[in-house]
Amino acid sequence: MRTLLVTGAAGFIGSNFVRMLLNRKEQVKLVAFDKLTYAGNLANLQDLLAKHPDQLVFVKGDICDPAAVTKAFDDHKVTEVVHFAAESHVDRSILGSGPFVQANVVGTQVMLDVSKAKNVQKFLYVSTDEVYGTLPEDKPEIKFTEETPLQPNSPYSASKAGGDCLVRSYFHTFHMPVLTTRCSNNYGPYHFPEKLIPLFVTNLMEGKKVPLYGDGLNIRDWLYVEDHCDAIYTVLNKGRFGEAYNVGGNNEITNRVITETLIREMGKNWDEVVTYVKDRPGHDRRYAIDATKIQTELGWWPKYKFETAIKTTIQWYIDNQSWWRAIKSGEYLKYYETQYAGR
Ligand code: NAD
Ligand code: DAU
């Protein structure tokens, strides 16, 4: 039986990944390994832990702690690693980059070293399109390919690029069986309400304004989270070691259009709810993914259309208010005030 150590499994994408595999009845054991930082939430896994006690186990631990990672390997006879765990929010990395270097660079180095010592059969690193930097908005024909040089612009993306380069180096130096995915922006259930879509949906439900950065014309390439999870599992099963695979839905949208969509779906009025605020420093203008490689080589295509999946997503936040209301209090409020005060 394959046993997957899924780091960051209590976060947004990691928990959706675990959920997808269990719903599909994939024949794998899953070790959900997570430090439960501010972004990690056991509530994201609770129903799955109760329903699948023979297939899913949760281990609280830090990827920067070699002893804790080694113990998880030994206790559960791990055969493969899917490495999601990271500090993931660009705005927080601008407030302070230390935790990002620690989790995303040092944590990845520890995961690689323990996995090497344990002769892991596969190691998949969940990277991001942000490692490529930014694209011009007046040249829509240019997209990120796997050959685009890594030119990260934020402390977050620089730390993810650090992990990405380490993974590459362990293939070339040690012939480790590594795989890398670089995906665009995800949306869907269990998305922490500091990111654009869940922040705006929940602010609108709370009767608050939505803070649009700069001119609101930055472009992101949005993909439903389950499509990303499916791409990761496809790369894990069929990808070539040492290769990186871009993942995206060919779905470039400006932040203004995202905001208009949410406002329309939630029956609000633009002039009453939108506030333009000072731009994010170093704000990347445009991301766009060329996903030809994963499509032609591995046969992966997104299944969800934005027009319907965004409605499903909004409905999830309407139906799960206790989930996000519990988050948007305490420490979160302090962060929100620091991030948006005086902007
Ligand atoms: P998230 O912030 O929702 O979840 C991150 C998880 O990692 C949390 O559960 C947190 O507790 C855990 N974690 C953080 N530091 C840890 C540590 N030291 N030890 C153990 N666990 C730790 O993030 P997400 O949006 O789910 O992103 C997951 C991964 O996917 C990240 O590597 C991110 O860079 C990448 N990614 C995200 C997106 C996106 O749109 N969200 C797109 C492409 C790639
Ligand atoms: O591209 C993949 C990346 O997408 C992932 O690697 C990151 O982990 C993930 O957080 C996401 O990064 P972004 O910075 O693109 O996502 P965020 O939701 O923070 O912002 C999306 C866009 O919306 C961006 O142009 C900034 C803007 N924005 C964001 C917030 C939180 C606003 O205008 N107002 C806001 O309040």
Side-chain angles (χ1 to χ4, degrees), residues 131-330:
V131 296
Y132 296 124
T134 188
L135 290 166
E137 62 195 321
D138 57 349
K139 294 201 176 79
E141 69 283 5
I142 302 180
K143 295 174 185 243
F144 297 134
T145 74
E146 290 80 357
E147 273 66 52
T148 304
L150 305 195
Q151 292 183 317
N153 289 322
S154 71
Y156 160 71
S157 54
S159 66
K160 287 296 292 184
D164 195 310
C165 292
L166 276 170
V167 170
R168 177 189 157 90
S169 78
Y170 275 58
F171 176 73
H172 285 273
T173 308
F174 306 115
H175 311 294
M176 254 185 82
V178 300
L179 300 149
T180 298
T181 54
R182 298 188 186 128
C183 187
S184 57
N185 286 62
N186 288 208
Y187 65 98
Y190 301 100
H191 203 178
F192 195 84
E194 63 188 350
K195 311 281 167 61
L196 177 76
I197 290 180
L199 176 71
F200 281 21
V201 169
T202 58
N203 271 14
L204 290 173
M205 273 193 269
E206 289 178 304
K208 290 187 185 158
K209 296 215 168 200
V210 296
L212 202 47
Y213 295 168
D215 61 7
L217 292 177
N218 300 67
I219 295 169
R220 297 292 182 264
D221 189 349
W222 293 94
L223 184 73
Y224 191 59
V225 63
E226 197 179 320
D227 277 327
H228 183 194
C229 294
D230 184 49
I232 289 169
Y233 200 52
T234 302
V235 172
L236 187 69
N237 289 333
K238 300 203 262 177
R240 284 183 291 134
F241 294 143
E243 294 290 316
Y245 294 88
N246 280 354
V247 183
N250 207 14
N251 186 38
E252 289 178 56
I253 311 180
T254 64
N255 295 335
R256 259 199 229 176
V257 170
I258 290 281
T259 307
E260 275 163 14
T261 307
L262 302 179
I263 287 174
R264 187 179 58 247
E265 290 297 327
M266 300 185 69
K268 303 281 181 181
N269 182 314
W270 177 279
D271 293 333
E272 285 166 14
V273 297
V274 174
T275 173
Y276 282 96
V277 300
K278 198 162 153 237
D279 209 355
R280 171 187 280 175
H283 196 175
D284 285 338
R285 194 63 174 167
R286 172 175 166 247
Y287 301 147
I289 282 281
D290 178 341
T292 307
K293 182 174 172 182
I294 189 171
Q295 289 165 351
T296 54
E297 205 177 285
L298 307 184
W300 173 87
W301 290 87
K303 296 187 182 69
Y304 291 90
K305 288 208 179 321
F306 182 78
E307 295 68 29
T308 43
I310 192 67
K311 289 184 185 168
T312 313
T313 301
I314 294 170
Q315 192 58 45
W316 188 88
Y317 288 91
I318 292 171
D319 294 342
N320 291 276
Q321 298 199 29
S322 58
W323 180 87
W324 60 262
R325 285 190 192 277
I327 294 170
K328 286 183 97 172
S329 58

